[in-house]
PDB file of all heavy atoms in Angstrom:
ATOM      1  N   ILE A   1      45.058 -79.304 -26.923  1.00 97.00           N
ATOM      2  CA  ILE A   1      45.184 -77.963 -27.479  1.00 97.00           C
ATOM      3  C   ILE A   1      46.642 -77.542 -27.370  1.00 97.00           C
ATOM      4  O   ILE A   1      47.258 -77.666 -26.305  1.00 97.00           O
ATOM      5  CB  ILE A   1      44.295 -76.969 -26.709  1.00 97.00           C
ATOM      6  CG1 ILE A   1      42.830 -77.376 -26.776  1.00 97.00           C
ATOM      7  CG2 ILE A   1      44.480 -75.553 -27.258  1.00 97.00           C
ATOM      8  CD1 ILE A   1      41.921 -76.562 -25.891  1.00 97.00           C
ATOM      9  N   HIS A   2      47.196 -77.051 -28.469  1.00 97.00           N
ATOM     10  CA  HIS A   2      48.591 -76.572 -28.483  1.00 97.00           C
ATOM     11  C   HIS A   2      48.604 -75.079 -28.818  1.00 97.00           C
ATOM     12  O   HIS A   2      47.947 -74.648 -29.770  1.00 97.00           O
ATOM     13  CB  HIS A   2      49.425 -77.352 -29.504  1.00 97.00           C
ATOM     14  CG  HIS A   2      49.497 -78.812 -29.207  1.00 97.00           C
ATOM     15  ND1 HIS A   2      48.893 -79.770 -29.980  1.00 97.00           N
ATOM     16  CD2 HIS A   2      50.099 -79.488 -28.188  1.00 97.00           C
ATOM     17  CE1 HIS A   2      49.117 -80.962 -29.480  1.00 97.00           C
ATOM     18  NE2 HIS A   2      49.849 -80.821 -28.385  1.00 97.00           N
ATOM     19  N   LYS A   3      49.373 -74.321 -28.052  1.00 97.00           N
ATOM     20  CA  LYS A   3      49.469 -72.890 -28.272  1.00 97.00           C
ATOM     21  C   LYS A   3      50.647 -72.579 -29.200  1.00 97.00           C
ATOM     22  O   LYS A   3      51.748 -73.052 -28.987  1.00 97.00           O
ATOM     23  CB  LYS A   3      49.631 -72.138 -26.957  1.00 97.00           C
ATOM     24  CG  LYS A   3      49.546 -70.614 -27.088  1.00 97.00           C
ATOM     25  CD  LYS A   3      49.478 -69.940 -25.729  1.00 97.00           C
ATOM     26  CE  LYS A   3      49.276 -68.428 -25.900  1.00 97.00           C
ATOM     27  NZ  LYS A   3      49.152 -67.733 -24.611  1.00 97.00           N
ATOM     28  N   HIS A   4      50.398 -71.786 -30.224  1.00 96.00           N
ATOM     29  CA  HIS A   4      51.418 -71.433 -31.200  1.00 96.00           C
ATOM     30  C   HIS A   4      51.831 -69.963 -31.118  1.00 96.00           C
ATOM     31  O   HIS A   4      52.704 -69.526 -31.866  1.00 96.00           O
ATOM     32  CB  HIS A   4      50.926 -71.724 -32.623  1.00 96.00           C
ATOM     33  CG  HIS A   4      50.659 -73.174 -32.874  1.00 96.00           C
ATOM     34  ND1 HIS A   4      51.552 -74.006 -33.515  1.00 96.00           N
ATOM     35  CD2 HIS A   4      49.595 -73.965 -32.544  1.00 96.00           C
ATOM     36  CE1 HIS A   4      51.072 -75.221 -33.603  1.00 96.00           C
ATOM     37  NE2 HIS A   4      49.874 -75.228 -33.002  1.00 96.00           N
ATOM     38  N   GLY A   5      51.216 -69.232 -30.239  1.00 94.00           N
ATOM     39  CA  GLY A   5      51.505 -67.798 -30.103  1.00 94.00           C
ATOM     40  C   GLY A   5      50.284 -67.108 -29.524  1.00 94.00           C
ATOM     41  O   GLY A   5      49.281 -67.750 -29.195  1.00 94.00           O
ATOM     42  N   GLU A   6      50.366 -65.799 -29.394  1.00 95.00           N
ATOM     43  CA  GLU A   6      49.256 -65.053 -28.855  1.00 95.00           C
ATOM     44  C   GLU A   6      47.998 -65.215 -29.725  1.00 95.00           C
ATOM     45  O   GLU A   6      48.051 -64.986 -30.944  1.00 95.00           O
ATOM     46  CB  GLU A   6      49.614 -63.571 -28.729  1.00 95.00           C
ATOM     47  CG  GLU A   6      48.540 -62.757 -28.027  1.00 95.00           C
ATOM     48  CD  GLU A   6      48.890 -61.283 -27.923  1.00 95.00           C
ATOM     49  OE1 GLU A   6      49.951 -60.880 -28.470  1.00 95.00           O
ATOM     50  OE2 GLU A   6      48.127 -60.534 -27.315  1.00 95.00           O
ATOM     51  N   LYS A   7      46.911 -65.653 -29.128  1.00 97.00           N
ATOM     52  CA  LYS A   7      45.633 -65.836 -29.824  1.00 97.00           C
ATOM     53  C   LYS A   7      45.702 -66.833 -30.968  1.00 97.00           C
ATOM     54  O   LYS A   7      44.905 -66.772 -31.896  1.00 97.00           O
ATOM     55  CB  LYS A   7      45.114 -64.494 -30.359  1.00 97.00           C
ATOM     56  CG  LYS A   7      44.910 -63.414 -29.296  1.00 97.00           C
ATOM     57  CD  LYS A   7      44.377 -62.137 -29.940  1.00 97.00           C
ATOM     58  CE  LYS A   7      44.218 -61.029 -28.924  1.00 97.00           C
ATOM     59  NZ  LYS A   7      43.697 -59.789 -29.529  1.00 97.00           N
ATOM     60  N   ARG A   8      46.645 -67.792 -30.886  1.00 97.00           N
ATOM     61  CA  ARG A   8      46.818 -68.746 -31.989  1.00 97.00           C
ATOM     62  C   ARG A   8      47.011 -70.155 -31.413  1.00 97.00           C
ATOM     63  O   ARG A   8      47.985 -70.415 -30.705  1.00 97.00           O
ATOM     64  CB  ARG A   8      48.006 -68.346 -32.845  1.00 97.00           C
ATOM     65  CG  ARG A   8      48.150 -69.152 -34.130  1.00 97.00           C
ATOM     66  CD  ARG A   8      49.311 -68.626 -34.965  1.00 97.00           C
ATOM     67  NE  ARG A   8      49.478 -69.414 -36.166  1.00 97.00           N
ATOM     68  CZ  ARG A   8      48.806 -69.234 -37.285  1.00 97.00           C
ATOM     69  NH1 ARG A   8      47.933 -68.258 -37.351  1.00 97.00           N
ATOM     70  NH2 ARG A   8      48.993 -70.023 -38.334  1.00 97.00           N
ATOM     71  N   TYR A   9      46.058 -71.071 -31.724  1.00 98.00           N
ATOM     72  CA  TYR A   9      46.054 -72.401 -31.171  1.00 98.00           C
ATOM     73  C   TYR A   9      45.727 -73.452 -32.234  1.00 98.00           C
ATOM     74  O   TYR A   9      45.093 -73.149 -33.243  1.00 98.00           O
ATOM     75  CB  TYR A   9      45.010 -72.518 -30.051  1.00 98.00           C
ATOM     76  CG  TYR A   9      45.191 -71.577 -28.909  1.00 98.00           C
ATOM     77  CD1 TYR A   9      44.766 -70.251 -28.990  1.00 98.00           C
ATOM     78  CD2 TYR A   9      45.785 -71.974 -27.714  1.00 98.00           C
ATOM     79  CE1 TYR A   9      44.914 -69.370 -27.933  1.00 98.00           C
ATOM     80  CE2 TYR A   9      45.956 -71.120 -26.654  1.00 98.00           C
ATOM     81  CZ  TYR A   9      45.516 -69.804 -26.768  1.00 98.00           C
ATOM     82  OH  TYR A   9      45.682 -68.943 -25.722  1.00 98.00           O
ATOM     83  N   SER A  10      46.155 -74.686 -31.969  1.00 97.00           N
ATOM     84  CA  SER A  10      45.730 -75.814 -32.795  1.00 97.00           C
ATOM     85  C   SER A  10      45.143 -76.894 -31.898  1.00 97.00           C
ATOM     86  O   SER A  10      45.444 -76.982 -30.708  1.00 97.00           O
ATOM     87  CB  SER A  10      46.909 -76.379 -33.601  1.00 97.00           C
ATOM     88  OG  SER A  10      47.845 -76.994 -32.747  1.00 97.00           O
ATOM     89  N   VAL A  11      44.287 -77.720 -32.501  1.00 97.00           N
ATOM     90  CA  VAL A  11      43.635 -78.847 -31.819  1.00 97.00           C
ATOM     91  C   VAL A  11      43.919 -80.096 -32.633  1.00 97.00           C
ATOM     92  O   VAL A  11      43.786 -80.093 -33.862  1.00 97.00           O
ATOM     93  CB  VAL A  11      42.100 -78.599 -31.718  1.00 97.00           C
ATOM     94  CG1 VAL A  11      41.397 -79.824 -31.149  1.00 97.00           C
ATOM     95  CG2 VAL A  11      41.819 -77.373 -30.864  1.00 97.00           C
ATOM     96  N   ASP A  12      44.266 -81.185 -31.960  1.00 95.00           N
ATOM     97  CA  ASP A  12      44.571 -82.432 -32.686  1.00 95.00           C
ATOM     98  C   ASP A  12      43.281 -83.188 -32.959  1.00 95.00           C
ATOM     99  O   ASP A  12      43.126 -84.356 -32.566  1.00 95.00           O
ATOM    100  CB  ASP A  12      45.584 -83.286 -31.933  1.00 95.00           C
ATOM    101  CG  ASP A  12      45.083 -83.789 -30.588  1.00 95.00           C
ATOM    102  OD1 ASP A  12      44.125 -83.195 -30.043  1.00 95.00           O
ATOM    103  OD2 ASP A  12      45.631 -84.790 -30.088  1.00 95.00           O
ATOM    104  N   GLY A  13      42.366 -82.530 -33.658  1.00 95.00           N
ATOM    105  CA  GLY A  13      41.083 -83.139 -33.988  1.00 95.00           C
ATOM    106  C   GLY A  13      40.511 -82.528 -35.243  1.00 95.00           C
ATOM    107  O   GLY A  13      41.244 -82.012 -36.087  1.00 95.00           O
ATOM    108  N   THR A  14      39.212 -82.574 -35.360  1.00 95.00           N
ATOM    109  CA  THR A  14      38.505 -82.134 -36.549  1.00 95.00           C
ATOM    110  C   THR A  14      38.187 -80.646 -36.495  1.00 95.00           C
ATOM    111  O   THR A  14      38.347 -80.004 -35.440  1.00 95.00           O
ATOM    112  CB  THR A  14      37.170 -82.897 -36.700  1.00 95.00           C
ATOM    113  OG1 THR A  14      36.298 -82.489 -35.603  1.00 95.00           O
ATOM    114  CG2 THR A  14      37.377 -84.419 -36.628  1.00 95.00           C
ATOM    115  N   PRO A  15      37.715 -80.047 -37.586  1.00 95.00           N
ATOM    116  CA  PRO A  15      37.267 -78.649 -37.540  1.00 95.00           C
ATOM    117  C   PRO A  15      36.159 -78.424 -36.500  1.00 95.00           C
ATOM    118  O   PRO A  15      36.162 -77.408 -35.804  1.00 95.00           O
ATOM    119  CB  PRO A  15      36.768 -78.408 -38.955  1.00 95.00           C
ATOM    120  CG  PRO A  15      37.530 -79.357 -39.797  1.00 95.00           C
ATOM    121  CD  PRO A  15      37.701 -80.589 -38.962  1.00 95.00           C
ATOM    122  N   THR A  16      35.263 -79.379 -36.390  1.00 96.00           N
ATOM    123  CA  THR A  16      34.185 -79.271 -35.390  1.00 96.00           C
ATOM    124  C   THR A  16      34.782 -79.247 -33.977  1.00 96.00           C
ATOM    125  O   THR A  16      34.370 -78.455 -33.132  1.00 96.00           O
ATOM    126  CB  THR A  16      33.186 -80.430 -35.546  1.00 96.00           C
ATOM    127  OG1 THR A  16      32.694 -80.434 -36.885  1.00 96.00           O
ATOM    128  CG2 THR A  16      32.031 -80.287 -34.569  1.00 96.00           C
ATOM    129  N   ASP A  17      35.732 -80.160 -33.720  1.00 97.00           N
ATOM    130  CA  ASP A  17      36.412 -80.166 -32.425  1.00 97.00           C
ATOM    131  C   ASP A  17      37.054 -78.811 -32.150  1.00 97.00           C
ATOM    132  O   ASP A  17      36.982 -78.303 -31.035  1.00 97.00           O
ATOM    133  CB  ASP A  17      37.525 -81.233 -32.421  1.00 97.00           C
ATOM    134  CG  ASP A  17      37.029 -82.645 -32.547  1.00 97.00           C
ATOM    135  OD1 ASP A  17      35.908 -82.932 -32.099  1.00 97.00           O
ATOM    136  OD2 ASP A  17      37.777 -83.478 -33.109  1.00 97.00           O
ATOM    137  N   SER A  18      37.703 -78.243 -33.176  1.00 97.00           N
ATOM    138  CA  SER A  18      38.426 -77.016 -33.003  1.00 97.00           C
ATOM    139  C   SER A  18      37.507 -75.859 -32.581  1.00 97.00           C
ATOM    140  O   SER A  18      37.831 -75.092 -31.666  1.00 97.00           O
ATOM    141  CB  SER A  18      39.160 -76.643 -34.313  1.00 97.00           C
ATOM    142  OG  SER A  18      40.100 -77.645 -34.660  1.00 97.00           O
ATOM    143  N   VAL A  19      36.372 -75.740 -33.253  1.00 98.00           N
ATOM    144  CA  VAL A  19      35.441 -74.672 -32.923  1.00 98.00           C
ATOM    145  C   VAL A  19      34.810 -74.916 -31.557  1.00 98.00           C
ATOM    146  O   VAL A  19      34.649 -73.985 -30.750  1.00 98.00           O
ATOM    147  CB  VAL A  19      34.371 -74.540 -34.012  1.00 98.00           C
ATOM    148  CG1 VAL A  19      33.274 -73.549 -33.607  1.00 98.00           C
ATOM    149  CG2 VAL A  19      35.012 -74.082 -35.331  1.00 98.00           C
ATOM    150  N   LEU A  20      34.469 -76.150 -31.270  1.00 98.00           N
ATOM    151  CA  LEU A  20      33.866 -76.481 -29.970  1.00 98.00           C
ATOM    152  C   LEU A  20      34.835 -76.142 -28.824  1.00 98.00           C
ATOM    153  O   LEU A  20      34.438 -75.529 -27.818  1.00 98.00           O
ATOM    154  CB  LEU A  20      33.511 -77.967 -29.933  1.00 98.00           C
ATOM    155  CG  LEU A  20      32.817 -78.473 -28.664  1.00 98.00           C
ATOM    156  CD1 LEU A  20      31.451 -77.836 -28.484  1.00 98.00           C
ATOM    157  CD2 LEU A  20      32.689 -79.987 -28.702  1.00 98.00           C
ATOM    158  N   LEU A  21      36.099 -76.525 -28.956  1.00 98.00           N
ATOM    159  CA  LEU A  21      37.077 -76.248 -27.909  1.00 98.00           C
ATOM    160  C   LEU A  21      37.419 -74.749 -27.848  1.00 98.00           C
ATOM    161  O   LEU A  21      37.698 -74.219 -26.769  1.00 98.00           O
ATOM    162  CB  LEU A  21      38.340 -77.077 -28.115  1.00 98.00           C
ATOM    163  CG  LEU A  21      38.189 -78.559 -27.821  1.00 98.00           C
ATOM    164  CD1 LEU A  21      39.496 -79.282 -28.084  1.00 98.00           C
ATOM    165  CD2 LEU A  21      37.740 -78.808 -26.382  1.00 98.00           C
ATOM    166  N   ALA A  22      37.401 -74.104 -28.986  1.00 98.00           N
ATOM    167  CA  ALA A  22      37.644 -72.654 -28.992  1.00 98.00           C
ATOM    168  C   ALA A  22      36.569 -71.946 -28.181  1.00 98.00           C
ATOM    169  O   ALA A  22      36.882 -71.089 -27.340  1.00 98.00           O
ATOM    170  CB  ALA A  22      37.639 -72.135 -30.437  1.00 98.00           C
ATOM    171  N   MET A  23      35.323 -72.291 -28.412  1.00 97.00           N
ATOM    172  CA  MET A  23      34.210 -71.637 -27.736  1.00 97.00           C
ATOM    173  C   MET A  23      34.162 -71.971 -26.253  1.00 97.00           C
ATOM    174  O   MET A  23      33.926 -71.088 -25.415  1.00 97.00           O
ATOM    175  CB  MET A  23      32.889 -72.071 -28.371  1.00 97.00           C
ATOM    176  CG  MET A  23      32.752 -71.687 -29.832  1.00 97.00           C
ATOM    177  SD  MET A  23      32.183 -69.999 -30.015  1.00 97.00           S
ATOM    178  CE  MET A  23      31.452 -70.123 -31.646  1.00 97.00           C
ATOM    179  N   ASN A  24      34.353 -73.236 -25.939  1.00 97.00           N
ATOM    180  CA  ASN A  24      34.109 -73.687 -24.568  1.00 97.00           C
ATOM    181  C   ASN A  24      35.339 -73.769 -23.682  1.00 97.00           C
ATOM    182  O   ASN A  24      35.231 -74.048 -22.478  1.00 97.00           O
ATOM    183  CB  ASN A  24      33.420 -75.074 -24.595  1.00 97.00           C
ATOM    184  CG  ASN A  24      32.023 -74.985 -25.169  1.00 97.00           C
ATOM    185  OD1 ASN A  24      31.368 -73.964 -25.063  1.00 97.00           O
ATOM    186  ND2 ASN A  24      31.556 -76.053 -25.781  1.00 97.00           N
ATOM    187  N   GLU A  25      36.531 -73.511 -24.267  1.00 97.00           N
ATOM    188  CA  GLU A  25      37.750 -73.536 -23.479  1.00 97.00           C
ATOM    189  C   GLU A  25      38.647 -72.337 -23.764  1.00 97.00           C
ATOM    190  O   GLU A  25      38.827 -71.483 -22.909  1.00 97.00           O
ATOM    191  CB  GLU A  25      38.528 -74.851 -23.725  1.00 97.00           C
ATOM    192  CG  GLU A  25      39.809 -74.963 -22.933  1.00 97.00           C
ATOM    193  CD  GLU A  25      39.607 -74.886 -21.437  1.00 97.00           C
ATOM    194  OE1 GLU A  25      38.552 -75.358 -20.933  1.00 97.00           O
ATOM    195  OE2 GLU A  25      40.510 -74.364 -20.730  1.00 97.00           O
ATOM    196  N   VAL A  26      39.163 -72.258 -24.962  1.00 97.00           N
ATOM    197  CA  VAL A  26      40.128 -71.196 -25.274  1.00 97.00           C
ATOM    198  C   VAL A  26      39.530 -69.804 -25.090  1.00 97.00           C
ATOM    199  O   VAL A  26      40.171 -68.906 -24.535  1.00 97.00           O
ATOM    200  CB  VAL A  26      40.664 -71.362 -26.714  1.00 97.00           C
ATOM    201  CG1 VAL A  26      41.614 -70.237 -27.084  1.00 97.00           C
ATOM    202  CG2 VAL A  26      41.360 -72.708 -26.882  1.00 97.00           C
ATOM    203  N   MET A  27      38.301 -69.614 -25.542  1.00 97.00           N
ATOM    204  CA  MET A  27      37.661 -68.301 -25.521  1.00 97.00           C
ATOM    205  C   MET A  27      36.432 -68.267 -24.605  1.00 97.00           C
ATOM    206  O   MET A  27      35.546 -67.448 -24.794  1.00 97.00           O
ATOM    207  CB  MET A  27      37.257 -67.894 -26.954  1.00 97.00           C
ATOM    208  CG  MET A  27      38.400 -67.946 -27.949  1.00 97.00           C
ATOM    209  SD  MET A  27      37.886 -67.627 -29.646  1.00 97.00           S
ATOM    210  CE  MET A  27      37.556 -65.864 -29.578  1.00 97.00           C
ATOM    211  N   LYS A  28      36.416 -69.139 -23.620  1.00 96.00           N
ATOM    212  CA  LYS A  28      35.210 -69.294 -22.792  1.00 96.00           C
ATOM    213  C   LYS A  28      34.859 -68.056 -22.004  1.00 96.00           C
ATOM    214  O   LYS A  28      33.701 -67.813 -21.675  1.00 96.00           O
ATOM    215  CB  LYS A  28      35.350 -70.491 -21.863  1.00 96.00           C
ATOM    216  CG  LYS A  28      36.485 -70.374 -20.859  1.00 96.00           C
ATOM    217  CD  LYS A  28      36.582 -71.651 -20.023  1.00 96.00           C
ATOM    218  CE  LYS A  28      37.743 -71.554 -19.040  1.00 96.00           C
ATOM    219  NZ  LYS A  28      37.880 -72.834 -18.256  1.00 96.00           N
ATOM    220  N   ASP A  29      35.858 -67.225 -21.686  1.00 95.00           N
ATOM    221  CA  ASP A  29      35.601 -66.021 -20.894  1.00 95.00           C
ATOM    222  C   ASP A  29      35.117 -64.840 -21.739  1.00 95.00           C
ATOM    223  O   ASP A  29      34.574 -63.859 -21.196  1.00 95.00           O
ATOM    224  CB  ASP A  29      36.852 -65.622 -20.122  1.00 95.00           C
ATOM    225  CG  ASP A  29      37.241 -66.646 -19.080  1.00 95.00           C
ATOM    226  OD1 ASP A  29      36.341 -67.306 -18.536  1.00 95.00           O
ATOM    227  OD2 ASP A  29      38.454 -66.831 -18.830  1.00 95.00           O
ATOM    228  N   HIS A  30      35.342 -64.931 -23.031  1.00 96.00           N
ATOM    229  CA  HIS A  30      34.893 -63.854 -23.945  1.00 96.00           C
ATOM    230  C   HIS A  30      34.751 -64.470 -25.328  1.00 96.00           C
ATOM    231  O   HIS A  30      35.683 -64.477 -26.124  1.00 96.00           O
ATOM    232  CB  HIS A  30      35.916 -62.712 -23.980  1.00 96.00           C
ATOM    233  CG  HIS A  30      35.482 -61.544 -24.783  1.00 96.00           C
ATOM    234  ND1 HIS A  30      36.201 -60.374 -24.827  1.00 96.00           N
ATOM    235  CD2 HIS A  30      34.400 -61.347 -25.601  1.00 96.00           C
ATOM    236  CE1 HIS A  30      35.589 -59.516 -25.636  1.00 96.00           C
ATOM    237  NE2 HIS A  30      34.497 -60.090 -26.106  1.00 96.00           N
ATOM    238  N   LYS A  31      33.567 -64.990 -25.597  1.00 96.00           N
ATOM    239  CA  LYS A  31      33.351 -65.727 -26.851  1.00 96.00           C
ATOM    240  C   LYS A  31      33.301 -64.801 -28.063  1.00 96.00           C
ATOM    241  O   LYS A  31      33.069 -63.587 -27.943  1.00 96.00           O
ATOM    242  CB  LYS A  31      32.063 -66.533 -26.733  1.00 96.00           C
ATOM    243  CG  LYS A  31      32.160 -67.634 -25.677  1.00 96.00           C
ATOM    244  CD  LYS A  31      30.970 -68.557 -25.682  1.00 96.00           C
ATOM    245  CE  LYS A  31      31.150 -69.651 -24.624  1.00 96.00           C
ATOM    246  NZ  LYS A  31      30.042 -70.617 -24.605  1.00 96.00           N
ATOM    247  N   PRO A  32      33.555 -65.345 -29.238  1.00 97.00           N
ATOM    248  CA  PRO A  32      33.596 -64.516 -30.446  1.00 97.00           C
ATOM    249  C   PRO A  32      32.212 -64.017 -30.875  1.00 97.00           C
ATOM    250  O   PRO A  32      31.188 -64.618 -30.524  1.00 97.00           O
ATOM    251  CB  PRO A  32      34.178 -65.459 -31.513  1.00 97.00           C
ATOM    252  CG  PRO A  32      33.775 -66.827 -31.034  1.00 97.00           C
ATOM    253  CD  PRO A  32      33.841 -66.755 -29.534  1.00 97.00           C
ATOM    254  N   ASP A  33      32.218 -62.934 -31.626  1.00 97.00           N
ATOM    255  CA  ASP A  33      30.997 -62.385 -32.197  1.00 97.00           C
ATOM    256  C   ASP A  33      30.755 -62.926 -33.593  1.00 97.00           C
ATOM    257  O   ASP A  33      29.640 -62.866 -34.130  1.00 97.00           O
ATOM    258  CB  ASP A  33      31.085 -60.862 -32.279  1.00 97.00           C
ATOM    259  CG  ASP A  33      31.355 -60.243 -30.914  1.00 97.00           C
ATOM    260  OD1 ASP A  33      30.457 -60.298 -30.071  1.00 97.00           O
ATOM    261  OD2 ASP A  33      32.470 -59.733 -30.708  1.00 97.00           O
ATOM    262  N   LEU A  34      31.823 -63.471 -34.215  1.00 98.00           N
ATOM    263  CA  LEU A  34      31.754 -63.982 -35.591  1.00 98.00           C
ATOM    264  C   LEU A  34      32.797 -65.052 -35.759  1.00 98.00           C
ATOM    265  O   LEU A  34      33.903 -64.965 -35.222  1.00 98.00           O
ATOM    266  CB  LEU A  34      32.015 -62.839 -36.579  1.00 98.00           C
ATOM    267  CG  LEU A  34      32.109 -63.195 -38.059  1.00 98.00           C
ATOM    268  CD1 LEU A  34      30.750 -63.630 -38.608  1.00 98.00           C
ATOM    269  CD2 LEU A  34      32.647 -61.992 -38.864  1.00 98.00           C
ATOM    270  N   VAL A  35      32.430 -66.108 -36.529  1.00 98.00           N
ATOM    271  CA  VAL A  35      33.381 -67.153 -36.867  1.00 98.00           C
ATOM    272  C   VAL A  35      33.553 -67.185 -38.388  1.00 98.00           C
ATOM    273  O   VAL A  35      32.559 -67.200 -39.135  1.00 98.00           O
ATOM    274  CB  VAL A  35      32.929 -68.547 -36.352  1.00 98.00           C
ATOM    275  CG1 VAL A  35      33.835 -69.637 -36.874  1.00 98.00           C
ATOM    276  CG2 VAL A  35      32.901 -68.560 -34.823  1.00 98.00           C
ATOM    277  N   LEU A  36      34.811 -67.196 -38.828  1.00 98.00           N
ATOM    278  CA  LEU A  36      35.142 -67.340 -40.237  1.00 98.00           C
ATOM    279  C   LEU A  36      35.918 -68.644 -40.414  1.00 98.00           C
ATOM    280  O   LEU A  36      36.844 -68.916 -39.652  1.00 98.00           O
ATOM    281  CB  LEU A  36      36.003 -66.165 -40.712  1.00 98.00           C
ATOM    282  CG  LEU A  36      35.427 -64.763 -40.544  1.00 98.00           C
ATOM    283  CD1 LEU A  36      36.456 -63.722 -40.974  1.00 98.00           C
ATOM    284  CD2 LEU A  36      34.145 -64.608 -41.343  1.00 98.00           C
ATOM    285  N   SER A  37      35.536 -69.426 -41.412  1.00 98.00           N
ATOM    286  CA  SER A  37      36.201 -70.703 -41.647  1.00 98.00           C
ATOM    287  C   SER A  37      36.778 -70.730 -43.053  1.00 98.00           C
ATOM    288  O   SER A  37      36.106 -70.365 -44.018  1.00 98.00           O
ATOM    289  CB  SER A  37      35.196 -71.845 -41.474  1.00 98.00           C
ATOM    290  OG  SER A  37      35.802 -73.095 -41.743  1.00 98.00           O
ATOM    291  N   GLY A  38      38.024 -71.149 -43.185  1.00 92.00           N
ATOM    292  CA  GLY A  38      38.668 -71.214 -44.496  1.00 92.00           C
ATOM    293  C   GLY A  38      40.061 -70.566 -44.461  1.00 92.00           C
ATOM    294  O   GLY A  38      40.701 -70.597 -43.425  1.00 92.00           O
ATOM    295  N   VAL A  39      40.515 -69.941 -45.518  1.00 97.00           N
ATOM    296  CA  VAL A  39      39.916 -70.058 -46.844  1.00 97.00           C
ATOM    297  C   VAL A  39      40.318 -71.426 -47.385  1.00 97.00           C
ATOM    298  O   VAL A  39      41.506 -71.735 -47.469  1.00 97.00           O
ATOM    299  CB  VAL A  39      40.405 -68.975 -47.783  1.00 97.00           C
ATOM    300  CG1 VAL A  39      39.874 -69.180 -49.184  1.00 97.00           C
ATOM    301  CG2 VAL A  39      40.038 -67.575 -47.289  1.00 97.00           C
ATOM    302  N   ASN A  40      39.332 -72.240 -47.720  1.00 96.00           N
ATOM    303  CA  ASN A  40      39.614 -73.601 -48.138  1.00 96.00           C
ATOM    304  C   ASN A  40      40.336 -73.642 -49.473  1.00 96.00           C
ATOM    305  O   ASN A  40      40.074 -72.857 -50.385  1.00 96.00           O
ATOM    306  CB  ASN A  40      38.303 -74.391 -48.265  1.00 96.00           C
ATOM    307  CG  ASN A  40      38.567 -75.881 -48.444  1.00 96.00           C
ATOM    308  OD1 ASN A  40      39.112 -76.522 -47.561  1.00 96.00           O
ATOM    309  ND2 ASN A  40      38.203 -76.421 -49.602  1.00 96.00           N
ATOM    310  N   ARG A  41      41.277 -74.567 -49.601  1.00 96.00           N
ATOM    311  CA  ARG A  41      41.992 -74.802 -50.866  1.00 96.00           C
ATOM    312  C   ARG A  41      41.120 -75.695 -51.743  1.00 96.00           C
ATOM    313  O   ARG A  41      41.180 -76.910 -51.711  1.00 96.00           O
ATOM    314  CB  ARG A  41      43.345 -75.448 -50.597  1.00 96.00           C
ATOM    315  CG  ARG A  41      44.234 -75.589 -51.818  1.00 96.00           C
ATOM    316  CD  ARG A  41      45.595 -76.142 -51.435  1.00 96.00           C
ATOM    317  NE  ARG A  41      46.481 -76.272 -52.584  1.00 96.00           N
ATOM    318  CZ  ARG A  41      46.522 -77.312 -53.411  1.00 96.00           C
ATOM    319  NH1 ARG A  41      45.701 -78.338 -53.192  1.00 96.00           N
ATOM    320  NH2 ARG A  41      47.349 -77.330 -54.441  1.00 96.00           N
ATOM    321  N   GLY A  42      40.268 -75.062 -52.549  1.00 94.00           N
ATOM    322  CA  GLY A  42      39.308 -75.770 -53.360  1.00 94.00           C
ATOM    323  C   GLY A  42      37.899 -75.332 -53.009  1.00 94.00           C
ATOM    324  O   GLY A  42      37.620 -74.879 -51.893  1.00 94.00           O
TER     325      GLY A  42
END
């Protein structure tokens, strides 16, 4: 996990990895109420 700024991170893996690590590590103390994915190019 790499931190790019306040509340902004990247994961060197897949989208699934990113959400999994967000929930269980980055935001584990206060999980999100909603997840938005995109906006996809296409």
Side-chain angles (χ1 to χ4, degrees):
I1 301 172
H2 298 111
K3 188 170 184 178
H4 296 262
E6 186 181 4
K7 302 181 182 180
R8 188 176 179 85
Y9 301 81
S10 68
V11 174
D12 64 339
T14 68
T16 304
D17 295 330
S18 298
V19 172
L20 182 65
L21 288 180
M23 298 277 204
N24 293 332
E25 180 59 33
V26 177
M27 305 175 73
K28 62 183 179 182
D29 295 328
H30 185 174
K31 294 188 178 182
D33 303 291
L34 175 68
V35 173
L36 303 176
S37 178
V39 175
N40 191 64
R41 186 175 181 275

